[in-house]
Every structure is written in C-alpha cells, then in structure tokens.
Amino acid sequence: CREHGVKKVIHMSSFSPYGVTKEAVTEATLFNANNPYGASKVCCEEIAKCYAMKYGIKTVIFRAPLLCGEGQQELNALREFAYSVKKGEPIVLLGEGKHVREFVHPSDVARAFSLSIPYIDLMKNPYEIFVLGNKPISMKDLAHLVVKTSGKEVPVIHKEANLFVFNQWTDRSKVEQILGWKPEITVEEIVKRVIADIKV
C-alpha cells in the first residue's frame, strides 16, 4: 500500500487477541492473547496501526466474534453441533453449556465493510476500530436450537469443562452510532442456513 500509493485500508481482525474475557468486549478491551493465532492477529493490528500513523494510510479495523454461515469449511461450535445432528450423533457440550458466544454472518460483516468505505474519508484519526457482534446465545441454548431446527432428536451430553468455557459478548454501540451498523441475520437464521447447507 505504501509503495503503490494506496491510502485507504480495511483490516479484518478477530476476537482471538482478547483471550479470556470477563466483561462485554469493546474497542477498548485489552488484548490478552493466549494462543499463537491470537498473537498473530495482535501483530497484524499493530502493523496496520503503525502504517496508518507513519504513512498516512487511513485504516478501519474490524473485530468480530465467530463468523458462521453457509459454505464455510472451518469448524466452530455451531457447525459441529449441526454436523452431529445431521449424522444422528450426540451434541457434546463443554461444562454445563451456560457460557455465551456470538455468531455473525459474513454478509453482515460485508455490509459493515461497505458502510466503512465512505466513512474513511471523514476520519480525523489515522485509524479507527469497530467491534461487531450479534445477540449472545449460550452453548446449551444453541445446541437445543440446532436440534429443534433440524427436526431430529439427538441427545445433548456434557463433558468436563476446559479453557474455552468462559462468557464472551459484545458492546457494539460504537459501530451502531458511527456507521449505523446492526446485524440483520439472526442466530436463528444462521442455524437454519448452516443446517440446510451441511451434507453428510
């Protein structure tokens, strides 16, 4: 971008730099990466910020929780649950399944990108950070939603909890106020699309 005169960048980050969180995630939440992937995302953000400040490349950074939708290859809790149901196997929950997460459809992320393009010209700061999110749902409720949506009866079983059992939800008020962005695709609709998409 610096060598070719590109002056506007949209950088996609994630929630992995946050590590384990105990409060609503905002743009000001401190990073506490606890795996190499999260650390790599921290590095990417810092590089983007440095280039924005030193070379005038105005940058919008988006951080999003779990992206999930049809056509996805990467496994996450929602897709794992859907695969289990499609194969007639039990859904396995970590701990009691009370911990909450948020799922965002890629189309909503793309819409955030589109809304940020004209905003870049108005930015007074070298870079701006926005947290995206959706309605939080507990893993237990997600499992039962997948079962209900599929129309199949499979048991939901529990296994011992581990590091991944913690609540993570967002305060996305900044992106709503500045870009006018809100998620349009609900977790119920995401579940419906993912179940229809999976072939076993």
Side-chain angles (χ1 to χ4, degrees), residues 84-85 87-91 144 146-156:
S84 295
V85 168
K87 291 186 288 187
E89 298 174 354
I91 290 177
H144 290 293
V146 169
V147 171
K148 179 181 177 181
T149 305
S150 71
K152 294 186 176 183
E153 289 296 331
V154 300
V156 177

Side-chain angles (χ1 to χ4, degrees), residues 62-65 102-116 130-135 170 172-185:
F62 285 107
R63 298 174 188 158
E102 295 182 13
F103 294 86
V104 180
H105 194 276
S107 294
D108 276 331
V109 176
R111 198 163 44 79
F113 281 18
S114 296
L115 290 169
S116 73
F130 293 107
V131 164
L132 305 179
N134 207 336
K135 182 180 75 173
T170 62
R172 58 180 187 274
S173 53
K174 180 179 176 181
V175 72
E176 290 183 6
Q177 292 168 6
I178 295 179
L179 297 186
W181 180 91
K182 289 184 179 181
E184 292 182 349
I185 302 177

Side-chain angles (χ1 to χ4, degrees), residues 53-175:
M53 291 184 290
K54 185 168 179 61
Y55 299 111
I57 301 172
K58 286 199 170 183
T59 302
V60 170
I61 298 170
F62 285 107
R63 298 174 188 158
L66 298 163
L67 270 63
C68 193
E70 59 274 30
Q72 185 178 24
Q73 299 300 313
E74 177 189 9
L75 282 179
N76 51 48
L78 196 160
R79 291 188 70 82
E80 286 183 7
F81 292 175
Y83 268 112
S84 295
V85 168
K86 281 291 188 95
K87 291 186 288 187
E89 298 174 354
I91 290 177
V92 179
L93 289 177
L94 296 177
E96 296 180 10
K98 293 180 180 179
H99 53 295
V100 300
R101 289 290 188 277
E102 295 182 13
F103 294 86
V104 180
H105 194 276
S107 294
D108 276 331
V109 176
R111 198 163 44 79
F113 281 18
S114 296
L115 290 169
S116 73
I117 293 172
Y119 175 72
I120 293 177
D121 291 325
L122 306 175
M123 283 170 48
K124 293 181 172 59
N125 299 322
Y127 63 87
E128 201 73 73
I129 301 166
F130 293 107
V131 164
L132 305 179
N134 207 336
K135 182 180 75 173
I137 185 170
S138 73
M139 292 298 99
K140 182 178 180 180
D141 287 345
L142 179 66
H144 290 293
L145 176 61
V146 169
V147 171
K148 179 181 177 181
T149 305
S150 71
K152 294 186 176 183
E153 289 296 331
V154 300
V156 177
I157 62 176
H158 300 262
K159 66 181 288 188
E160 188 175 347
N162 61 19
L163 177 66
F164 297 102
V165 177
F166 61 94
N167 292 316
Q168 193 166 63
W169 73 100
T170 62
D171 175 353
R172 58 180 187 274
S173 53
K174 180 179 176 181
V175 72

